[in-house]
């Protein structure tokens, strides 16, 4: 019934298996990819006709994790998987970015890649397996795909690179780098690093590219056995060639003049006018439609050609100059930390907020539940590019850019033990013309330092571009939006003066050489150092102490066997302390208690209550207490947190007492002195030796009189 094709290789000491022909046979391509005991089903389906009315390639990539893969049942009321998690969204982008440039130019048929995690061994991350499986599914599907690609993760520890480190190894690694590419070169890089040098980062990319070559060979072997015949694409028609020639002759000079305008808004208006002029060259509606589709190519030829010939860019800069920068901090009076970072026509307003452990984000992942104490959220409203658009929940772009900035800043944060705050940064992009994600990195660094977060060093980011025609190329520093859209590379580097903390690269051509990457990294370092110098004009290091608007967190340690007493039955005691003092209290299992409050009085009141609860009764010390029970032989008094002691009826008053209730009743506030402990450790108390009005020790007074 099944005609199964399978390819197995030993890759980095683990078995990688690619299998097709048994599951999802109605998809154009379906591959079950397995590494270790992590299995991902990857499918590819494409329409046989172009999608009408689109001038872009309609590719959709969906990566989804099923909780049964790790033997779990989803949380929440509905008990089924819901909207994509951040991990699913980011992995969908990881798969999309390297495969998109490899589809044949002009292919406009709707294409969908779906990767479903079916099994997770909690050691081999499914993202790499999904990228490999998606490449294999596309390669055997018959879609015009110029792959295959392969992918791997690279770690770095003690001077050595690690291929596909297990999830248990990553916390000790100085690098978490994911890359993908073809046999010829690298197409995509995503990474977080601990201030590593440019040479180490370039070495990691080279190491990874060599390491995944056996995977590409395995996919090719599988395709040779079972791939479908590739789809035939019609060649360029005579009409397209005729319209292109007419456009070049009619508007090339005007387009060159339009792109010479340095101001973005005016330039957009000028370019739009030239587009309309170009379309008006034709009377036939079919020719007009063709002209619309060719317009971007005409613009690309103008912009790219000018840069390669003259070295001068759209806004008049050379290839290495960074746009003017203005950095400001403390611009929002009530925020814990705020910064406005402006670079040319790109601007980010970053706002930092400090919270307590109760504000940590709880993440329910396949690997298990964990808490994140640093969050960075990036927002890109339509007004930032002068447009009116729909406002909604963050899309893939916002999540991806936010995570890139998060990776850039995360290695520089203080440890949770030394700075026990939950940190949230929101970056509102208020203007955009190129690399708002790197502006977010710079703004985040400044806002955190303004909030008093002790970063180990300021961090900045810069976006690099590439124009490549044949053997001629130009690497561009601090690219504009148009240079991003019409260029061949988006290469973002963030870090400190000491090294790189995050690197992201996307290539729109088949690959770039190691030489170009080295030039881009070195040029990015110069730009990054320049930007750090401009940021230092606003703030050179973190402020001493957190903002006066932020909560102060005081940490004490209590015996672990006292935690229950602080919490109280059903949380009654800790709730009461929080309500009466206005403080927030977090208690860790190891006995670390964090008390947070905006004012010192609330903090001290809460600490006093906690110390009172955990304190041990001392012989001869007088305490305030409350009668909680009366019996024939005396009264039980709660006097030290949850501790009770017995005041024997003979210790109630300096006279004979007939009934306990003649002296005290339940609920009475009394003053008692510890006079001893019985054989079982129970506390013996006395009221008669304490002045119930003043709290004075009457036994000491009596001794003094004698």
């Amino acid at each position: 019934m099944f005609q199964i094709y399978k390819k197995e290789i030993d890759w980095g000491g683990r078995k990688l298996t690619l299998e097709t022909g048994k599951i999802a046979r109605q998809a154009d391509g379906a591959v079950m990819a397995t590494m270790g005991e992590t299995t991902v089903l990857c499918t590819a389906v494409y329409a046989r006709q172009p999608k009408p009315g689109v001038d872009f390639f309609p590719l959709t990539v969906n990566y989804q994790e099923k909780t049964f893969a790790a033997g779990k049942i989803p949380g929440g009321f509905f008990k089924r998987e819901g909207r994509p998690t951040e991990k699913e969204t980011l992995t969908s982008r990881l798969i999309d970015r390297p495969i998109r440039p490899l589809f044949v130019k002009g292919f406009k048929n709707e294409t969908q890649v779906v990767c479903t995690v079916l099994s997770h061994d909690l050691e081999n991350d499914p993202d790499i397996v999904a990228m490999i499986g998606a490449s294999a599914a596309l390669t055997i599907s018959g879609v015009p795909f110029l792959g295959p690609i392969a992918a791997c993760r690279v770690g770095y520890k003690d001077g050595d690179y690690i291929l596909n480190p297990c999830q248990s190894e990553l916390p000790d690694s100085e690098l978490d780098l994911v890359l993908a590419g073809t046999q010829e070169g690298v197409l995509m890089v995503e990474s977080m690093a601990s201030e590593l040098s440019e040479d180490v980062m370039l070495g990691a990319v080279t190491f990874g590219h060599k390491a995944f070559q056996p995977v590409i060979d395995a996919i090719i072997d599988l395709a040779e056995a079972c791939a479908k015949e590739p789809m035939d694409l019609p060649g360029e028609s005579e009409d397209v060639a005729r319209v292109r020639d007419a456009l070049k002759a009619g508007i090339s000079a005007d387009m060159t003049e339009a792109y010479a305008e340095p101001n973005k808004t005016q330039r957009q208006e000028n370019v739009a006018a030239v587009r309309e002029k170009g379309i008006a060259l034709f009377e036939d509606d079919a020719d007009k439609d063709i002209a619309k589709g060719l317009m971007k190519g005409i613009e690309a030829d103008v912009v790219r050609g000018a840069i390669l010939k003259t070295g001068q860019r759209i806004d008049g800069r050379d290839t290495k100059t960074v746009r003017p920068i203005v950095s400001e901090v403390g611009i929002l009076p009530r925020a814990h930390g705020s910064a406005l970072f402006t670079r040319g026509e790109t601007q980010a307003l970053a706002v930092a907020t400090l919270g307590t452990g109760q504000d940590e984000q709880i993440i329910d992942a396949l690997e298990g539940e964990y808490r994140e104490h640093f969050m960075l959220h990036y927002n890109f409203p339509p007004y930032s590019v002068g447009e009116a658009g729909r406002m909604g929940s963050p899309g893939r772009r916002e999540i991806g850019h936010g995570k890139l900035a998060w990776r850039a800043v995360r290695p520089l944060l203080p440890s949770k033990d030394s700075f026990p705050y939950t940190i949230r940064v929101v970056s509102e992009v208020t203007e955009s013309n190129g690399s708002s994600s790197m502006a977010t990195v710079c703004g985040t660094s400044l806002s955190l330092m303004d909030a008093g977060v002790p970063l180990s060093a300021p961090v900045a980011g810069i976006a690099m571009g590439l124009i490549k025609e044949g053997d001629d190329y130009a690497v561009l520093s601090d690219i504009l939006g148009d240079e991003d859209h019409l260029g061949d590379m988006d290469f973002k580097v963030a870090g400190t003066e000491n090294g790189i903390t995050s690197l992201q690269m996307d290539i729109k051509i088949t690959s770039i050489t190691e030489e170009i990457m080295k030039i881009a990294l070195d040029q990015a370092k110069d730009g990054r150092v320049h930007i750090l110098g401009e940021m230092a004009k606003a703030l050179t290091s973190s402020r001493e102490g957190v903002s006066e608007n932020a909560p102060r967190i005081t940490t004490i340690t209590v015996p672990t066997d006292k935690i229950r007493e602080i919490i109280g039955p059903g949380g009654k005691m800790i709730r009461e302390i929080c309500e009466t003092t206005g403080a927030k209290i977090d208690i860790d299992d190891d006995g670390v208690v964090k008390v947070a409050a905006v004012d010192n009085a609330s903090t001290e009141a809460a600490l006093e209550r906690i110390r009172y609860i955990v304190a041990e009764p001392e012989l001869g010390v007088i305490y305030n207490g409350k009668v909680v029970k009366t019996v024939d032989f005396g009264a039980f008094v709660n006097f030290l947190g949850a501790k009770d002691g017995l005041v024997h009826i003979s210790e109630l008053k300096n006279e004979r007492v007939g009934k306990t209730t003649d002296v005290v009743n339940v609920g009475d506030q009394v003053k008692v002195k510890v006079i001893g402990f019985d054989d079982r450790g129970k506390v013996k108390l006395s009221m008669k030796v304490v002045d119930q009005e003043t709290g004075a020790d009457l036994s000491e007074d009596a001794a003094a009189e004698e």
Side-chain angles (χ1 to χ4, degrees), residues 321-367:
T321 301
V322 177
R323 288 171 288 174
I325 292 172
V326 178
S327 301
E328 303 171 70
V329 295
I331 63 171
L332 300 179
R334 294 294 297 176
H336 299 166
S338 59
L340 184 68
F341 179 84
T342 308
R343 186 191 60 242
E345 295 167 306
T346 297
Q347 185 180 76
L349 173 63
V351 185
T353 306
L354 305 181
T356 67
Q358 297 174 24
D359 299 310
E360 289 181 335
Q361 183 180 16
I362 301 174
I363 299 176
D364 187 15
L366 281 185
E367 298 81 12

Side-chain angles (χ1 to χ4, degrees), residues 271-301:
V271 170
V274 176
R275 288 175 187 155
E276 291 180 7
K277 178 181 177 181
I279 295 171
L281 294 173
F282 307 96
E283 296 181 359
D284 185 76
D285 288 341
D287 287 349
K288 290 180 183 291
D289 289 338
I290 294 173
K292 291 177 183 178
L294 294 174
M295 202 63 69
K296 183 177 179 180
I298 300 295
E299 296 177 35
D301 291 341

Side-chain angles (χ1 to χ4, degrees), residues 387-551:
E387 296 177 357
R390 176 180 174 273
M391 299 283 287
S393 57
R396 288 187 175 187
R397 182 180 184 277
E398 284 83 358
I399 293 173
H401 280 28
K403 194 65 175 182
L404 171 59
W406 183 93
R407 291 190 180 104
V409 177
R410 182 66 181 84
L412 304 167
L413 291 175
S415 68
K416 192 175 174 181
D417 292 337
S418 61
F419 192 75
Y421 285 89
T422 297
I423 305 168
R424 182 188 184 224
V425 177
V426 178
S427 174
E428 296 288 341
V429 177
T430 49
E431 295 180 29
S432 180
N433 184 16
S435 193
S436 53
S437 63
M438 294 297 95
T440 292
V441 171
C442 301
T444 297
S445 177
L446 288 169
S447 69
L448 289 173
M449 292 192 296
D450 184 49
V453 179
L455 295 182
S456 58
V459 57
I462 186 170
M464 312 295 294
L466 174 70
I467 305 295
K468 188 175 186 295
E469 296 288 350
D471 293 332
D472 294 333
Y473 64 86
V475 176
L476 312 177
S477 295
D478 181 24
I479 56 175
L480 301 172
D482 288 330
E483 292 169 339
D484 184 5
H485 301 148
L486 303 176
D488 298 320
M489 176 180 75
D490 185 8
F491 191 90
K492 296 170 181 172
V493 187
T496 67
E497 288 188 351
N498 300 321
I500 294 172
T501 57
S502 182
L503 186 153
Q504 183 187 85
M505 181 180 75
D506 291 299
I507 303 297
K508 302 173 188 176
I509 53 181
T510 52
S511 64
I512 63 170
T513 63
E514 184 177 336
E515 176 191 5
I516 293 176
M517 283 190 63
K518 180 170 176 53
I519 292 172
L521 281 169
D522 291 340
Q523 198 166 311
K525 181 178 181 180
D526 294 338
R528 187 174 78 243
V529 171
H530 167 74
I531 294 170
L532 286 168
E534 294 299 302
M535 291 166 56
K537 294 177 181 179
L539 198 60
T540 56
S541 61
S542 299
R543 300 190 189 280
E544 291 188 11
V546 297
S547 163
E548 62 180 15
N549 297 323

Side-chain angles (χ1 to χ4, degrees), residues 34-54:
T34 302
M35 187 162 69
E37 292 184 345
T38 295
T39 299
V40 184
L41 173 63
C42 304
T43 61
V45 176
Y46 67 99
R48 297 307 188 264
Q49 298 296 326
K51 189 172 184 177
V54 299

